Amino acid sequence: VHDRKGGYVGEVGLGSRKDIRDAVAAARGAKGWTSATAYNRAQVLYFLAENLAVRADEFSARLTRLTGASAKAARAEVDASVERIFAAAGMADKFEGTAHEPPARAVVLALHEPVGVLGIVAPDEQPLLGLIAMLAPALAMGNAVVAVPSARWPLIATDLYQVFETSDLPAGSVNIVTGRTAELAGVLAKHDDVDGLWVVADADTCK
């Protein structure tokens, strides 16, 4: 990985078809998250937002070095990311089911359920906020996620691993695969065990 000026910053894995298969399998096995109550999901997401806020200076500095954003703009992106997680946490237990009275002697319960395993492909623009804005609402509703972060600035996503691991997110709830966006998005799109796909990329990749 290189910064905006072309300087060497670090390395990440070049994800493959097998990595996507393994990530989808892990997401499918994340019963601890998909079966959690909405209240429990909200509490975990609040904890996640708080932990990211504690490391705001670190993430701001990383964004500035990688993308060349000003210190003010980088801090604003981190703060907006924290706010997005708080917002998702606040809404996690607000979409409850309802009871309907059909024209019969019966009561029908309508329950909201997660989609299941969601594939998320995040943009290069605002690499932290772009990923969080897609990830937080998916998690809030109880989905397990396979996320492909910004291909240009993937170190932002790998830094998030530490935050996830200290925020009580169950194993398999978030699975990040770094690599080439178009290639990994194509594998996700063809995977029979992926229930939904959310892609922000160029027109050809989206198609």
Side-chain angles (χ1 to χ4, degrees):
V1 179
H2 298 86
D3 61 21
R4 189 164 179 259
K5 296 181 180 180
Y8 173 81
V9 180
E11 298 179 356
V12 295
L14 186 61
S16 66
R17 182 182 299 271
K18 183 180 186 304
D19 293 318
I20 291 291
R21 287 201 306 266
D22 291 344
V24 171
R28 184 61 67 188
K31 303 301 183 186
W33 184 251
T34 57
S35 64
T37 65
Y39 174 80
N40 287 340
R41 294 197 302 271
Q43 296 307 303
V44 171
L45 288 173
Y46 280 131
F47 192 27
L48 173 61
E50 291 167 357
N51 285 337
L52 181 58
V54 168
R55 299 179 60 177
D57 290 343
E58 176 187 338
F59 276 86
S60 297
R62 175 73 94 174
L63 282 168
T64 297
R65 181 180 181 190
L66 286 174
T67 67
S70 67
K72 182 178 180 181
R75 184 54 184 256
E77 181 175 344
V78 176
D79 290 345
S81 299
V82 172
E83 290 174 8
R84 289 294 177 92
I85 302 173
F86 272 127
M91 297 302 289
D93 57 356
K94 304 303 186 293
F95 289 97
E96 298 175 343
T98 57
H100 297 284
E101 296 182 38
R105 293 178 58 84
V107 174
V108 176
L109 297 178
L111 301 177
H112 292 291
E113 296 181 338
V115 173
V117 175
L118 285 184
I120 287 177
V121 180
D124 285 334
E125 294 77 17
Q126 293 187 296
L128 177 62
L129 181 58
L131 178 60
I132 290 295
M134 301 171 79
L135 189 62
L139 291 174
M141 296 309 295
N143 299 287
V145 174
V146 177
V148 177
S150 161
R152 188 176 183 189
W153 319 117
L155 290 178
I156 294 297
T158 56
D159 288 348
L160 277 173
Y161 272 128
Q162 298 173 6
V163 183
F164 292 152
E165 290 177 353
T166 57
S167 301
D168 293 339
L169 272 171
S173 52
V174 179
N175 308 274
I176 297 177
V177 182
T178 56
R180 299 184 179 94
T181 297
E183 179 182 332
L184 297 179
V187 177
L188 279 169
K190 295 173 183 176
H191 199 299
D192 289 339
D193 209 22
V194 174
D195 301 303
L197 190 58
W198 191 4
V199 180
V200 180
D202 61 89
D204 289 339
T205 300
C206 290
K207 183 179 179 181

